């Protein structure tokens, strides 16, 4: 066990391991590319839908059920399916990562919008704000903390799951995990796993910092 | 992509076995998760300084990728079902602990004080007053944890205990979509059925919430 940890530390810190087209630095960048693009695409799809459902109050049933459907959908199965249907391209990776992130963002956005005090919305209407103004000036600012929670959760899950890119022969940190499993090289597998975990935690902390920056100067209750 | 229906009759036995396997990994994970989460949550609820630590720790567990989790456990538990169950258990903790703490928080202080004032011991208050009142929120967590576990079991197919997830590897290696479709469909079905079962269990466990709508109202209202 101790021997393994020593080997792992050596693997993680050797400079040869970090450089080059197969090095850790390249793999981290690839991993980030898949994760960032997938999360952005998911946000572009999910945020308007979540806001619309929250603003109009219609389709809440759909949102709740979509969430549990999304949680139940096995990502490995989805990526395999798209891969078999579409052949060798990077699409299966993005399709399954986006499918993973969309439900999380939609439900949290909807939850944030639903938690806005109806009296506040009434008051906004009372002082003459129109529907769109209420959405942008009242509802979204109040719902933003929960919306950001959704984006954060989705990002962490996407970073953690982007290892599947390697499953369908692409890069990213999953390369180490799958190659290591195939070569029975536990050190490499563990190295990859540790790097993914660190990246996921770092992404979570970065978005947490961003959220705090966005809400600087707001009363603590609104956070 | 076409489904070869002829594949199904030949593989019914395999599908049943894999479904059973799937449940044998997912269900213990949720049960162990509850066993660990309940005392932790009660502790976090009672001892304020521990609260941030317990919630933070379960949050960090969640950021570790599921595949990485299984792999990290390999040196400890090896290629066994224990590895799969342990990894999934850790995953359920974040939802179970958070929901149980929130459920306990939502119990009105007046109710707790009334129970104590009648001479009920703290432990009994917890077991017969607080936990039952927190049950709807706890059960919401159990439902999420169960559906998540059922979906995540397939990730354990890399270490050989993926239940229906084995079908994904199988179809992938043979470039044959039918088992993959069957695996995805059965996983979704399993999650749906498990969720429905949990809703029924909750309904059975909370007779006081049944009434026409929400909490029971005093009967006097009807006459007015």
């Amino acid at each position: 066990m101790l021997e393994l940890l020593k080997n792992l530390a050596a693997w993680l810190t050797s400079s040869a391991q970090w450089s080059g087209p197969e090095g850790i630095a390249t793999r981290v960048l690839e991993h980030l590319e898949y994760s960032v693009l997938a999360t952005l695409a998911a946000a572009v799809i999910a945020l308007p839908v979540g806001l619309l459902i929250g603003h109009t109050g219609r389709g809440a049933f759909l949102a709740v059920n979509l969430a549990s459907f999304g949680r139940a959908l096995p990502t490995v199965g989805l990526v395999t399916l798209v891969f078999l249907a579409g052949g060798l391209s990077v699409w299966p990776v993005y399709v399954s990562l986006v499918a993973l992130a969309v439900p999380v963002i939609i439900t949290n956005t909807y939850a944030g919008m639903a938690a806005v005090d109806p009296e506040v919305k009434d008051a906004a209407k009372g002082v003459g704000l129109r529907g769109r103004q209420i959405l942008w000036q009242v509802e979204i600012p109040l719902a933003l903390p929960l919306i950001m929670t959704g984006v954060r959760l989705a990002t962490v899950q996407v970073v953690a799951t982007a290892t599947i890119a390697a499953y369908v022969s692409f890069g990213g940190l999953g390369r180490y995990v799958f190659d290591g499993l195939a070569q029975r090289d536990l050190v490499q597998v563990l190295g990859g796993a540790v790097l993914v975990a660190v990246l996921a935690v770092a992404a979570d902390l970065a978005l947490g910092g961003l959220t705090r920056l966005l809400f600087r100067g707001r009363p603590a209750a609104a956070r | 992509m076409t489904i070869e229906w002829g594949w199904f009759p030949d593989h019914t036995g395999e599908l049943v076995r894999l479904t059973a396997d799937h449940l044998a990994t997912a269900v213990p994970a949720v049960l162990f998760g509850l066993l660990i989460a309940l005392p932790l949550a009660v502790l976090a609820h009672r001892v304020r300084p521990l609260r941030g630590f317990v919630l933070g720790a379960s949050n960090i567990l969640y950021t570790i990728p599921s595949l990485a989790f299984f792999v990290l456990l390999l040196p400890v538990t090896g290629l066994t079902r224990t590895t799969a169950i342990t990894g999934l258990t850790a995953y359920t903790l974040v939802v179970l602990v958070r929901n149980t703490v929130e459920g306990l928080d939502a119990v009105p202080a007046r109710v707790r004080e009334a129970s104590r004032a009648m001479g009920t011991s703290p432990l009994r208050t917890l077991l017969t007053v607080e936990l039952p009142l927190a049950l709807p929120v706890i059960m919401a967590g159990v439902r999420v944890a169960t559906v998540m576990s059922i979906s995540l079991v397939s990730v354990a197919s890399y270490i050989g205990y993926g239940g229906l997830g084995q079908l994904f590897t199988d179809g992938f290696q043979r470039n044959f979509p039918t088992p993959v479709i069957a695996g995805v469909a059965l996983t979704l079905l399993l999650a749906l059925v498990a969720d429905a079962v949990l809703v029924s269990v909750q309904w059975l466990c909370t007779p006081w919430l049944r009434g026409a709508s929400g909490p029971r109202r005093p009967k006097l209202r009807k006459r007015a």
Side-chain angles (χ1 to χ4, degrees):
Chain A
M1 185 73 203
L2 198 66
E3 188 64 19
L4 187 70
L5 286 179
K6 254 188 224 157
N7 288 339
L8 181 61
W11 188 89
L12 282 170
T13 48
S14 93
S15 59
Q17 197 63 250
W18 276 87
S19 54
E22 307 247 304
I24 294 175
T26 318
R27 295 295 183 218
V28 168
L29 284 180
E30 285 169 351
H31 204 95
L32 280 177
E33 185 189 330
Y34 305 139
S35 310
V36 171
L37 284 180
T39 312
L40 282 180
V44 167
I45 298 169
L47 286 178
V49 176
L51 291 176
L52 195 73
I53 292 172
H55 183 64
T56 59
R58 270 178 230 153
F61 181 77
L62 184 82
V64 172
N65 282 292
L66 185 76
S68 74
F69 181 79
R71 266 195 294 271
L73 197 65
T75 311
V76 190
L78 190 61
V79 79
T80 314
L81 210 55
V82 181
F83 179 81
L84 292 180
L88 184 65
S89 74
V90 81
W91 278 105
V93 180
Y94 284 118
V95 169
S96 41
L97 290 182
V98 169
L100 181 75
V102 162
V104 184
I105 301 181
I106 289 187
T107 36
N108 274 278
T109 307
Y110 165 69
M113 296 285 285
V116 175
D117 190 346
E119 284 185 23
V120 176
K121 278 186 271 186
D122 275 351
K125 208 182 273 176
V127 295
L129 262 62
R130 289 168 190 283
R132 191 168 293 183
Q133 288 172 313
I134 295 179
L135 175 69
W136 283 102
Q137 296 170 21
V138 179
E139 286 179 302
I140 291 183
L142 284 174
L144 210 51
L146 262 178
I147 297 178
M148 282 304 289
T149 305
V151 174
R152 248 174 105 170
L153 271 177
T155 309
V156 169
Q157 287 188 11
V158 166
V159 171
T161 316
T163 39
I164 50 156
Y167 185 62
V168 287
S169 77
F170 286 92
L173 292 167
R175 236 0 327 141
Y176 298 118
V177 177
F178 287 102
D179 290 353
L181 278 177
Q183 298 161 11
R184 309 230 157 231
D185 177 2
L186 197 57
V187 173
Q188 194 183 344
V189 182
L190 289 178
V194 169
L195 288 172
V196 176
V198 170
L199 207 60
V201 174
D204 190 44
L205 290 178
L207 280 176
L210 182 71
T211 314
R212 266 193 297 282
L213 207 67
L214 282 176
F215 301 122
R216 209 174 25 181
R218 282 235 211 143
R223 273 176 204 171
Chain B
M1 190 164 52
T2 48
I3 304 181
E4 286 193 27
W5 294 104
W7 180 85
F8 285 89
D10 298 340
H11 294 80
T12 332
E14 192 191 347
L15 289 179
V16 171
R17 186 177 54 80
L18 288 176
T19 307
D21 251 20
H22 205 98
L23 283 176
T25 311
V27 174
V30 178
L31 291 181
F32 285 130
L34 261 179
L35 224 53
I36 300 171
L38 284 180
L40 270 183
V42 170
L43 200 67
H45 175 69
R46 290 287 159 90
V47 191
R48 289 281 141 173
L50 281 179
R51 190 195 180 87
F53 175 74
V54 170
L55 289 177
S58 60
N59 258 334
I60 285 188
L61 279 182
Y62 190 69
T63 59
I64 302 174
S66 46
L67 177 59
F69 226 121
F70 296 132
V71 176
L72 288 172
L73 286 168
L74 278 182
V76 189
T77 45
L79 281 172
T80 58
R81 191 187 292 280
T82 318
T83 308
I85 295 178
T86 315
L88 289 177
T89 302
Y91 253 83
T92 61
L93 287 184
V94 66
V95 198
L96 293 178
V97 172
R98 202 202 306 129
N99 275 47
T100 310
V101 171
E102 273 171 17
L104 289 173
D105 281 350
V107 175
R110 275 176 300 161
V111 174
R112 197 170 309 144
E113 283 156 16
S115 167
R116 295 288 293 122
M118 293 200 305
T120 317
S121 72
L123 182 66
R124 233 185 125 149
T125 304
L126 176 70
L127 293 177
T128 59
V129 178
E130 291 176 89
L131 281 179
L133 284 175
L135 203 64
V137 186
I138 299 177
M139 281 304 282
V142 174
R143 286 173 61 189
V144 172
T146 307
V147 170
M148 226 166 61
S149 292
I150 289 177
S151 150
L152 277 176
V153 168
S154 58
V155 178
S157 59
Y158 302 124
I159 57 165
Y161 286 89
L164 292 164
Q166 303 300 144
L167 293 169
F168 306 153
T169 329
D170 180 36
F172 181 68
Q173 281 163 355
R174 292 194 289 144
N175 197 9
F176 180 43
T178 306
V180 186
I181 297 171
V184 172
L186 279 175
T187 309
L188 287 177
L189 188 71
L190 216 54
L192 204 74
V193 171
D195 199 49
V197 168
L198 286 173
V199 171
S200 324
V201 168
Q202 187 183 346
W203 189 81
L204 287 173
C205 290
T206 53
W208 60 90
L209 289 178
R210 275 173 231 163
S213 65
R216 200 193 298 166
R217 288 184 186 142
K219 283 219 166 120
L220 279 174
R221 283 251 176 104
K222 271 190 183 161
R223 270 190 228 160

